[in-house]
Amino acid sequence: VRDGRGRAAESLLEVRDALGVQLSDNLSAAYLVLLLEGTEDETILRPVLKQLSPLLGSAFDNMVLTIDHLAGATNLGYKARLYKTLLCNVHAYVDDDAEGRHAIEAAERSGSLLVSEYNVTSQKGMSDAEIEDLLDPAIYTDVIKQVFGVELQGRTFRNNKRKWSDRVRDCFRADGKVWNDKLESRVKKAVAEAAASAGKNGLKPSGLVSVQALVRQLEAKLEKVQQSR
């Protein structure tokens, strides 16, 4: 409603302006929130996204684009609804595994998420894939050996029909380690830190393809924001 007359808003920016919502209010005032499953995903992706796209890099720096963690894909629908009530655009990037696919299907059924608002970490030839499957093992195998005393090699690890965490679990067990949630978290953190140091060079060619698809989706949303200003 402007000047006593009501009309349909043509952009999210108009709604924000009418309500007096400013970008600097808080993080929830970001125009676009990228929803990732966990903190390790952000550690891996943030530097890569900034390297691949000056537009995304600027959006991060200016808090036009921010990242939030789902603490598990099952929270996808809830987080998407939450940010939409705060007049934020959302985009999700989740693992292409049973949990991730189920979360997307549930969010779509509830109307919380549109097909245009997500990407998954799909990899050719793999029925299940997670974010670590996008990475070149060369960037982290030495770290795993030095820190945990486990060598990621042989048929068990190279069997890319299975997702990364399952293959790594079997390698640790084969080397006599007790695999549990705490150890898995430590291993993923070490891998994420190695990936952050490597940046886009730490991605496999197929992993780069997946992230570039995400970049295109995010850029398209941010370009709409620029056009509406």
Side-chain angles (χ1 to χ4, degrees):
V1 177
R2 294 285 178 88
D3 300 323
R5 300 179 63 184
R7 64 175 179 83
E10 295 181 356
S11 70
L12 188 62
L13 182 63
E14 286 188 315
V15 177
R16 287 178 176 277
D17 287 344
L19 295 176
V21 177
Q22 300 298 318
L23 183 64
S24 59
D25 286 347
N26 49 54
L27 281 176
S28 67
Y31 283 111
L32 179 58
V33 181
L34 175 59
L35 299 174
L36 303 176
E37 291 196 31
T39 56
E40 292 82 10
D41 299 48
E42 178 177 359
T43 301
I44 292 169
L45 277 179
R46 183 184 285 268
V48 174
L49 295 176
K50 296 181 77 169
Q51 283 181 304
L52 291 176
S53 171
L55 176 59
L56 298 188
S58 176
F60 276 126
D61 292 342
N62 292 295
M63 292 171 56
V64 175
L65 168 63
T66 190
I67 292 175
D68 194 14
H69 314 121
L70 299 173
T74 55
N75 292 318
L76 175 58
Y78 161 72
K79 279 293 182 79
R81 286 192 301 273
L82 172 65
Y83 279 107
K84 287 183 178 183
T85 62
L86 296 172
L87 303 181
C88 296
N89 292 296
V90 299
H91 198 89
Y93 190 59
V94 299
D95 291 344
D96 185 20
D97 57 10
E99 183 179 358
R101 291 188 293 268
H102 177 74
I104 288 170
E105 291 169 3
E108 285 187 286
R109 282 197 306 271
S110 69
S112 303
L113 199 70
L114 304 176
V115 175
S116 60
E117 294 176 328
Y118 73 82
N119 287 68
V120 296
T121 59
S122 57
Q123 292 289 279
K124 185 177 180 180
M126 299 184 68
S127 57
D128 293 313
E130 51 198 344
I131 194 165
E132 290 84 2
D133 285 302
L134 309 182
L135 303 175
D136 182 351
I139 69 170
Y140 59 78
T141 49
D142 285 346
V143 172
I144 298 300
K145 183 177 180 180
Q146 292 170 9
V147 176
F148 302 101
V150 174
E151 293 199 28
L152 301 180
Q153 61 182 3
R155 185 177 301 174
T156 299
F157 185 67
R158 291 197 301 268
N159 179 12
N160 64 1
K161 299 295 183 183
R162 302 162 64 230
K163 66 180 184 179
W164 184 88
S165 58
D166 290 344
R167 291 181 284 128
V168 171
R169 175 199 62 203
D170 290 348
C171 287
F172 270 68
R173 287 177 174 172
D175 276 3
K177 310 300 180 183
V178 177
W179 186 258
N180 51 38
D181 291 344
K182 183 177 180 179
L183 180 56
E184 181 177 1
S185 179
R186 290 178 58 201
V187 172
K188 287 192 170 187
K189 181 179 179 181
V191 170
E193 289 172 351
S197 297
K200 65 181 181 180
N201 295 326
L203 297 173
K204 299 187 299 189
S206 58
L208 180 60
V209 169
S210 177
V211 177
Q212 285 174 328
L214 173 63
V215 167
R216 289 193 296 272
Q217 297 271 306
L218 296 176
E219 285 183 334
K221 288 179 169 62
L222 290 173
E223 286 167 358
K224 287 182 180 179
V225 169
Q226 289 185 336
Q227 292 169 3
S228 69
R229 298 184 68 176

PDB file of all heavy atoms in Angstrom, residues 7-39:
ATOM      1  N   ARG A   7      -1.667  -2.201  -4.492  1.00  0.00           N
ATOM      2  CA  ARG A   7      -1.384  -2.885  -5.757  1.00  0.00           C
ATOM      3  C   ARG A   7      -0.437  -4.039  -5.484  1.00  0.00           C
ATOM      4  O   ARG A   7       0.241  -4.086  -4.451  1.00  0.00           O
ATOM      5  CB  ARG A   7      -0.768  -1.936  -6.779  1.00  0.00           C
ATOM      6  CG  ARG A   7       0.607  -1.386  -6.394  1.00  0.00           C
ATOM      7  CD  ARG A   7       1.213  -0.544  -7.509  1.00  0.00           C
ATOM      8  NE  ARG A   7       2.514  -0.006  -7.132  1.00  0.00           N
ATOM      9  CZ  ARG A   7       3.650  -0.683  -7.227  1.00  0.00           C
ATOM     10  NH1 ARG A   7       3.635  -1.946  -7.667  1.00  0.00           N
ATOM     11  NH2 ARG A   7       4.793  -0.136  -6.875  1.00  0.00           N
ATOM     12  N   ALA A   8      -0.369  -4.954  -6.420  1.00  0.00           N
ATOM     13  CA  ALA A   8       0.536  -6.097  -6.272  1.00  0.00           C
ATOM     14  C   ALA A   8       1.980  -5.640  -6.437  1.00  0.00           C
ATOM     15  O   ALA A   8       2.300  -4.873  -7.354  1.00  0.00           O
ATOM     16  CB  ALA A   8       0.208  -7.160  -7.324  1.00  0.00           C
ATOM     17  N   ALA A   9       2.838  -6.093  -5.532  1.00  0.00           N
ATOM     18  CA  ALA A   9       4.261  -5.764  -5.642  1.00  0.00           C
ATOM     19  C   ALA A   9       4.863  -6.487  -6.830  1.00  0.00           C
ATOM     20  O   ALA A   9       4.501  -7.616  -7.142  1.00  0.00           O
ATOM     21  CB  ALA A   9       4.990  -6.157  -4.360  1.00  0.00           C
ATOM     22  N   GLU A  10       5.793  -5.830  -7.483  1.00  0.00           N
ATOM     23  CA  GLU A  10       6.455  -6.427  -8.646  1.00  0.00           C
ATOM     24  C   GLU A  10       7.790  -7.060  -8.282  1.00  0.00           C
ATOM     25  O   GLU A  10       8.400  -7.746  -9.100  1.00  0.00           O
ATOM     26  CB  GLU A  10       6.666  -5.366  -9.725  1.00  0.00           C
ATOM     27  CG  GLU A  10       5.355  -4.817 -10.295  1.00  0.00           C
ATOM     28  CD  GLU A  10       5.587  -3.782 -11.370  1.00  0.00           C
ATOM     29  OE1 GLU A  10       6.767  -3.447 -11.619  1.00  0.00           O
ATOM     30  OE2 GLU A  10       4.599  -3.315 -11.966  1.00  0.00           O
ATOM     31  N   SER A  11       8.261  -6.825  -7.079  1.00  0.00           N
ATOM     32  CA  SER A  11       9.549  -7.394  -6.664  1.00  0.00           C
ATOM     33  C   SER A  11       9.581  -7.507  -5.147  1.00  0.00           C
ATOM     34  O   SER A  11       8.820  -6.828  -4.434  1.00  0.00           O
ATOM     35  CB  SER A  11      10.718  -6.523  -7.138  1.00  0.00           C
ATOM     36  OG  SER A  11      10.738  -5.306  -6.415  1.00  0.00           O
ATOM     37  N   LEU A  12      10.481  -8.359  -4.673  1.00  0.00           N
ATOM     38  CA  LEU A  12      10.675  -8.512  -3.234  1.00  0.00           C
ATOM     39  C   LEU A  12      11.184  -7.211  -2.625  1.00  0.00           C
ATOM     40  O   LEU A  12      10.863  -6.862  -1.488  1.00  0.00           O
ATOM     41  CB  LEU A  12      11.672  -9.645  -2.973  1.00  0.00           C
ATOM     42  CG  LEU A  12      11.854 -10.085  -1.527  1.00  0.00           C
ATOM     43  CD1 LEU A  12      10.555 -10.623  -0.965  1.00  0.00           C
ATOM     44  CD2 LEU A  12      12.935 -11.160  -1.446  1.00  0.00           C
ATOM     45  N   LEU A  13      11.964  -6.469  -3.395  1.00  0.00           N
ATOM     46  CA  LEU A  13      12.514  -5.214  -2.892  1.00  0.00           C
ATOM     47  C   LEU A  13      11.399  -4.240  -2.529  1.00  0.00           C
ATOM     48  O   LEU A  13      11.474  -3.527  -1.521  1.00  0.00           O
ATOM     49  CB  LEU A  13      13.440  -4.592  -3.937  1.00  0.00           C
ATOM     50  CG  LEU A  13      14.135  -3.290  -3.533  1.00  0.00           C
ATOM     51  CD1 LEU A  13      15.057  -3.525  -2.347  1.00  0.00           C
ATOM     52  CD2 LEU A  13      14.917  -2.715  -4.701  1.00  0.00           C
ATOM     53  N   GLU A  14      10.337  -4.188  -3.344  1.00  0.00           N
ATOM     54  CA  GLU A  14       9.218  -3.289  -3.055  1.00  0.00           C
ATOM     55  C   GLU A  14       8.551  -3.648  -1.732  1.00  0.00           C
ATOM     56  O   GLU A  14       8.145  -2.763  -0.970  1.00  0.00           O
ATOM     57  CB  GLU A  14       8.196  -3.348  -4.188  1.00  0.00           C
ATOM     58  CG  GLU A  14       8.638  -2.633  -5.452  1.00  0.00           C
ATOM     59  CD  GLU A  14       7.507  -2.553  -6.468  1.00  0.00           C
ATOM     60  OE1 GLU A  14       6.826  -3.579  -6.668  1.00  0.00           O
ATOM     61  OE2 GLU A  14       7.308  -1.472  -7.032  1.00  0.00           O
ATOM     62  N   VAL A  15       8.404  -4.957  -1.468  1.00  0.00           N
ATOM     63  CA  VAL A  15       7.802  -5.394  -0.210  1.00  0.00           C
ATOM     64  C   VAL A  15       8.685  -4.979   0.963  1.00  0.00           C
ATOM     65  O   VAL A  15       8.205  -4.458   1.980  1.00  0.00           O
ATOM     66  CB  VAL A  15       7.577  -6.920  -0.209  1.00  0.00           C
ATOM     67  CG1 VAL A  15       7.010  -7.377   1.123  1.00  0.00           C
ATOM     68  CG2 VAL A  15       6.666  -7.322  -1.347  1.00  0.00           C
ATOM     69  N   ARG A  16       9.971  -5.190   0.813  1.00  0.00           N
ATOM     70  CA  ARG A  16      10.913  -4.808   1.872  1.00  0.00           C
ATOM     71  C   ARG A  16      10.857  -3.303   2.136  1.00  0.00           C
ATOM     72  O   ARG A  16      10.843  -2.851   3.277  1.00  0.00           O
ATOM     73  CB  ARG A  16      12.337  -5.215   1.488  1.00  0.00           C
ATOM     74  CG  ARG A  16      12.598  -6.710   1.558  1.00  0.00           C
ATOM     75  CD  ARG A  16      14.033  -6.992   1.114  1.00  0.00           C
ATOM     76  NE  ARG A  16      14.355  -8.406   1.252  1.00  0.00           N
ATOM     77  CZ  ARG A  16      14.751  -8.967   2.390  1.00  0.00           C
ATOM     78  NH1 ARG A  16      14.864  -8.241   3.477  1.00  0.00           N
ATOM     79  NH2 ARG A  16      15.030 -10.255   2.433  1.00  0.00           N
ATOM     80  N   ASP A  17      10.846  -2.519   1.058  1.00  0.00           N
ATOM     81  CA  ASP A  17      10.823  -1.074   1.218  1.00  0.00           C
ATOM     82  C   ASP A  17       9.547  -0.614   1.922  1.00  0.00           C
ATOM     83  O   ASP A  17       9.565   0.269   2.785  1.00  0.00           O
ATOM     84  CB  ASP A  17      10.933  -0.400  -0.154  1.00  0.00           C
ATOM     85  CG  ASP A  17      12.336  -0.507  -0.742  1.00  0.00           C
ATOM     86  OD1 ASP A  17      13.270  -0.821   0.030  1.00  0.00           O
ATOM     87  OD2 ASP A  17      12.490  -0.277  -1.957  1.00  0.00           O
ATOM     88  N   ALA A  18       8.423  -1.239   1.553  1.00  0.00           N
ATOM     89  CA  ALA A  18       7.142  -0.860   2.162  1.00  0.00           C
ATOM     90  C   ALA A  18       7.114  -1.174   3.647  1.00  0.00           C
ATOM     91  O   ALA A  18       6.517  -0.451   4.446  1.00  0.00           O
ATOM     92  CB  ALA A  18       5.999  -1.577   1.446  1.00  0.00           C
ATOM     93  N   LEU A  19       7.776  -2.261   4.026  1.00  0.00           N
ATOM     94  CA  LEU A  19       7.805  -2.670   5.432  1.00  0.00           C
ATOM     95  C   LEU A  19       8.939  -2.025   6.208  1.00  0.00           C
ATOM     96  O   LEU A  19       9.031  -2.173   7.424  1.00  0.00           O
ATOM     97  CB  LEU A  19       7.912  -4.197   5.536  1.00  0.00           C
ATOM     98  CG  LEU A  19       6.727  -4.994   4.994  1.00  0.00           C
ATOM     99  CD1 LEU A  19       7.017  -6.485   5.064  1.00  0.00           C
ATOM    100  CD2 LEU A  19       5.461  -4.672   5.773  1.00  0.00           C
ATOM    101  N   GLY A  20       9.849  -1.363   5.498  1.00  0.00           N
ATOM    102  CA  GLY A  20      10.986  -0.747   6.165  1.00  0.00           C
ATOM    103  C   GLY A  20      12.061  -1.732   6.561  1.00  0.00           C
ATOM    104  O   GLY A  20      12.821  -1.498   7.503  1.00  0.00           O
ATOM    105  N   VAL A  21      12.152  -2.859   5.842  1.00  0.00           N
ATOM    106  CA  VAL A  21      13.177  -3.860   6.138  1.00  0.00           C
ATOM    107  C   VAL A  21      14.467  -3.465   5.432  1.00  0.00           C
ATOM    108  O   VAL A  21      14.502  -3.346   4.209  1.00  0.00           O
ATOM    109  CB  VAL A  21      12.735  -5.264   5.673  1.00  0.00           C
ATOM    110  CG1 VAL A  21      13.840  -6.276   5.933  1.00  0.00           C
ATOM    111  CG2 VAL A  21      11.467  -5.675   6.397  1.00  0.00           C
ATOM    112  N   GLN A  22      15.523  -3.245   6.181  1.00  0.00           N
ATOM    113  CA  GLN A  22      16.799  -2.843   5.609  1.00  0.00           C
ATOM    114  C   GLN A  22      17.784  -4.004   5.625  1.00  0.00           C
ATOM    115  O   GLN A  22      17.770  -4.833   6.532  1.00  0.00           O
ATOM    116  CB  GLN A  22      17.394  -1.669   6.401  1.00  0.00           C
ATOM    117  CG  GLN A  22      16.505  -0.435   6.398  1.00  0.00           C
ATOM    118  CD  GLN A  22      16.300   0.124   4.999  1.00  0.00           C
ATOM    119  OE1 GLN A  22      17.242   0.191   4.214  1.00  0.00           O
ATOM    120  NE2 GLN A  22      15.081   0.521   4.689  1.00  0.00           N
ATOM    121  N   LEU A  23      18.658  -4.023   4.641  1.00  0.00           N
ATOM    122  CA  LEU A  23      19.630  -5.100   4.516  1.00  0.00           C
ATOM    123  C   LEU A  23      20.531  -5.198   5.736  1.00  0.00           C
ATOM    124  O   LEU A  23      20.958  -6.268   6.132  1.00  0.00           O
ATOM    125  CB  LEU A  23      20.481  -4.887   3.258  1.00  0.00           C
ATOM    126  CG  LEU A  23      21.516  -5.961   2.940  1.00  0.00           C
ATOM    127  CD1 LEU A  23      20.826  -7.286   2.654  1.00  0.00           C
ATOM    128  CD2 LEU A  23      22.364  -5.542   1.753  1.00  0.00           C
ATOM    129  N   SER A  24      20.801  -4.058   6.369  1.00  0.00           N
ATOM    130  CA  SER A  24      21.732  -4.040   7.490  1.00  0.00           C
ATOM    131  C   SER A  24      21.097  -4.434   8.811  1.00  0.00           C
ATOM    132  O   SER A  24      21.774  -4.491   9.829  1.00  0.00           O
ATOM    133  CB  SER A  24      22.345  -2.640   7.630  1.00  0.00           C
ATOM    134  OG  SER A  24      21.327  -1.684   7.831  1.00  0.00           O
ATOM    135  N   ASP A  25      19.776  -4.704   8.828  1.00  0.00           N
ATOM    136  CA  ASP A  25      19.109  -5.029  10.088  1.00  0.00           C
ATOM    137  C   ASP A  25      19.755  -6.216  10.787  1.00  0.00           C
ATOM    138  O   ASP A  25      20.083  -6.174  11.957  1.00  0.00           O
ATOM    139  CB  ASP A  25      17.629  -5.316   9.856  1.00  0.00           C
ATOM    140  CG  ASP A  25      16.842  -4.040   9.566  1.00  0.00           C
ATOM    141  OD1 ASP A  25      17.373  -2.939   9.789  1.00  0.00           O
ATOM    142  OD2 ASP A  25      15.699  -4.174   9.122  1.00  0.00           O
ATOM    143  N   ASN A  26      19.902  -7.318  10.082  1.00  0.00           N
ATOM    144  CA  ASN A  26      20.511  -8.528  10.625  1.00  0.00           C
ATOM    145  C   ASN A  26      20.725  -9.508   9.482  1.00  0.00           C
ATOM    146  O   ASN A  26      20.376  -9.239   8.336  1.00  0.00           O
ATOM    147  CB  ASN A  26      19.634  -9.159  11.720  1.00  0.00           C
ATOM    148  CG  ASN A  26      18.191  -9.309  11.277  1.00  0.00           C
ATOM    149  OD1 ASN A  26      17.925  -9.895  10.240  1.00  0.00           O
ATOM    150  ND2 ASN A  26      17.268  -8.780  12.062  1.00  0.00           N
ATOM    151  N   LEU A  27      21.307 -10.647   9.800  1.00  0.00           N
ATOM    152  CA  LEU A  27      21.614 -11.614   8.749  1.00  0.00           C
ATOM    153  C   LEU A  27      20.363 -12.109   8.050  1.00  0.00           C
ATOM    154  O   LEU A  27      20.382 -12.425   6.863  1.00  0.00           O
ATOM    155  CB  LEU A  27      22.383 -12.809   9.335  1.00  0.00           C
ATOM    156  CG  LEU A  27      23.876 -12.582   9.582  1.00  0.00           C
ATOM    157  CD1 LEU A  27      24.478 -13.808  10.252  1.00  0.00           C
ATOM    158  CD2 LEU A  27      24.609 -12.280   8.289  1.00  0.00           C
ATOM    159  N   SER A  28      19.255 -12.183   8.780  1.00  0.00           N
ATOM    160  CA  SER A  28      18.031 -12.682   8.168  1.00  0.00           C
ATOM    161  C   SER A  28      17.467 -11.727   7.139  1.00  0.00           C
ATOM    162  O   SER A  28      16.527 -12.057   6.422  1.00  0.00           O
ATOM    163  CB  SER A  28      16.978 -12.981   9.239  1.00  0.00           C
ATOM    164  OG  SER A  28      16.563 -11.789   9.862  1.00  0.00           O
ATOM    165  N   ALA A  29      18.034 -10.515   7.054  1.00  0.00           N
ATOM    166  CA  ALA A  29      17.589  -9.560   6.053  1.00  0.00           C
ATOM    167  C   ALA A  29      18.331  -9.730   4.739  1.00  0.00           C
ATOM    168  O   ALA A  29      18.149  -8.945   3.825  1.00  0.00           O
ATOM    169  CB  ALA A  29      17.760  -8.137   6.566  1.00  0.00           C
ATOM    170  N   ALA A  30      19.198 -10.724   4.624  1.00  0.00           N
ATOM    171  CA  ALA A  30      19.873 -10.994   3.356  1.00  0.00           C
ATOM    172  C   ALA A  30      18.832 -11.294   2.291  1.00  0.00           C
ATOM    173  O   ALA A  30      17.785 -11.879   2.572  1.00  0.00           O
ATOM    174  CB  ALA A  30      20.828 -12.173   3.502  1.00  0.00           C
ATOM    175  N   TYR A  31      19.115 -10.886   1.084  1.00  0.00           N
ATOM    176  CA  TYR A  31      18.175 -11.142   0.003  1.00  0.00           C
ATOM    177  C   TYR A  31      18.105 -12.623  -0.340  1.00  0.00           C
ATOM    178  O   TYR A  31      17.066 -13.119  -0.752  1.00  0.00           O
ATOM    179  CB  TYR A  31      18.582 -10.359  -1.250  1.00  0.00           C
ATOM    180  CG  TYR A  31      18.240  -8.900  -1.165  1.00  0.00           C
ATOM    181  CD1 TYR A  31      19.254  -7.956  -1.056  1.00  0.00           C
ATOM    182  CD2 TYR A  31      16.920  -8.465  -1.186  1.00  0.00           C
ATOM    183  CE1 TYR A  31      18.951  -6.610  -0.989  1.00  0.00           C
ATOM    184  CE2 TYR A  31      16.611  -7.120  -1.105  1.00  0.00           C
ATOM    185  CZ  TYR A  31      17.634  -6.195  -1.007  1.00  0.00           C
ATOM    186  OH  TYR A  31      17.326  -4.869  -0.918  1.00  0.00           O
ATOM    187  N   LEU A  32      19.234 -13.313  -0.196  1.00  0.00           N
ATOM    188  CA  LEU A  32      19.297 -14.720  -0.590  1.00  0.00           C
ATOM    189  C   LEU A  32      20.038 -15.515   0.471  1.00  0.00           C
ATOM    190  O   LEU A  32      21.150 -15.155   0.866  1.00  0.00           O
ATOM    191  CB  LEU A  32      19.999 -14.851  -1.939  1.00  0.00           C
ATOM    192  CG  LEU A  32      20.191 -16.255  -2.514  1.00  0.00           C
ATOM    193  CD1 LEU A  32      18.851 -16.971  -2.685  1.00  0.00           C
ATOM    194  CD2 LEU A  32      20.926 -16.177  -3.852  1.00  0.00           C
ATOM    195  N   VAL A  33      19.425 -16.591   0.937  1.00  0.00           N
ATOM    196  CA  VAL A  33      20.037 -17.469   1.934  1.00  0.00           C
ATOM    197  C   VAL A  33      20.299 -18.821   1.274  1.00  0.00           C
ATOM    198  O   VAL A  33      19.378 -19.461   0.763  1.00  0.00           O
ATOM    199  CB  VAL A  33      19.133 -17.661   3.168  1.00  0.00           C
ATOM    200  CG1 VAL A  33      19.814 -18.572   4.189  1.00  0.00           C
ATOM    201  CG2 VAL A  33      18.797 -16.312   3.794  1.00  0.00           C
ATOM    202  N   LEU A  34      21.557 -19.228   1.281  1.00  0.00           N
ATOM    203  CA  LEU A  34      21.944 -20.537   0.770  1.00  0.00           C
ATOM    204  C   LEU A  34      21.900 -21.527   1.924  1.00  0.00           C
ATOM    205  O   LEU A  34      22.620 -21.372   2.917  1.00  0.00           O
ATOM    206  CB  LEU A  34      23.345 -20.479   0.163  1.00  0.00           C
ATOM    207  CG  LEU A  34      23.952 -21.795  -0.316  1.00  0.00           C
ATOM    208  CD1 LEU A  34      23.083 -22.456  -1.389  1.00  0.00           C
ATOM    209  CD2 LEU A  34      25.373 -21.587  -0.828  1.00  0.00           C
ATOM    210  N   LEU A  35      21.059 -22.534   1.817  1.00  0.00           N
ATOM    211  CA  LEU A  35      20.892 -23.535   2.874  1.00  0.00           C
ATOM    212  C   LEU A  35      21.771 -24.741   2.573  1.00  0.00           C
ATOM    213  O   LEU A  35      21.622 -25.389   1.538  1.00  0.00           O
ATOM    214  CB  LEU A  35      19.426 -23.958   2.960  1.00  0.00           C
ATOM    215  CG  LEU A  35      18.431 -22.845   3.297  1.00  0.00           C
ATOM    216  CD1 LEU A  35      16.999 -23.362   3.205  1.00  0.00           C
ATOM    217  CD2 LEU A  35      18.711 -22.272   4.684  1.00  0.00           C
ATOM    218  N   LEU A  36      22.690 -25.038   3.484  1.00  0.00           N
ATOM    219  CA  LEU A  36      23.587 -26.177   3.369  1.00  0.00           C
ATOM    220  C   LEU A  36      23.363 -27.103   4.553  1.00  0.00           C
ATOM    221  O   LEU A  36      22.889 -26.683   5.611  1.00  0.00           O
ATOM    222  CB  LEU A  36      25.048 -25.717   3.339  1.00  0.00           C
ATOM    223  CG  LEU A  36      25.431 -24.719   2.239  1.00  0.00           C
ATOM    224  CD1 LEU A  36      26.882 -24.283   2.415  1.00  0.00           C
ATOM    225  CD2 LEU A  36      25.220 -25.332   0.858  1.00  0.00           C
ATOM    226  N   GLU A  37      23.758 -28.364   4.398  1.00  0.00           N
ATOM    227  CA  GLU A  37      23.460 -29.337   5.450  1.00  0.00           C
ATOM    228  C   GLU A  37      24.258 -29.108   6.723  1.00  0.00           C
ATOM    229  O   GLU A  37      23.760 -29.323   7.819  1.00  0.00           O
ATOM    230  CB  GLU A  37      23.671 -30.756   4.919  1.00  0.00           C
ATOM    231  CG  GLU A  37      22.632 -31.160   3.882  1.00  0.00           C
ATOM    232  CD  GLU A  37      22.610 -32.651   3.645  1.00  0.00           C
ATOM    233  OE1 GLU A  37      22.901 -33.431   4.583  1.00  0.00           O
ATOM    234  OE2 GLU A  37      22.308 -33.058   2.508  1.00  0.00           O
ATOM    235  N   GLY A  38      25.526 -28.709   6.601  1.00  0.00           N
ATOM    236  CA  GLY A  38      26.336 -28.572   7.804  1.00  0.00           C
ATOM    237  C   GLY A  38      27.453 -27.566   7.640  1.00  0.00           C
ATOM    238  O   GLY A  38      27.670 -26.999   6.558  1.00  0.00           O
ATOM    239  N   THR A  39      28.197 -27.327   8.720  1.00  0.00           N
ATOM    240  CA  THR A  39      29.271 -26.341   8.706  1.00  0.00           C
ATOM    241  C   THR A  39      30.400 -26.742   7.760  1.00  0.00           C
ATOM    242  O   THR A  39      31.044 -25.887   7.161  1.00  0.00           O
ATOM    243  CB  THR A  39      29.836 -26.141  10.118  1.00  0.00           C
ATOM    244  OG1 THR A  39      30.273 -27.411  10.649  1.00  0.00           O
ATOM    245  CG2 THR A  39      28.776 -25.563  11.049  1.00  0.00           C
TER     246      THR A  39
END
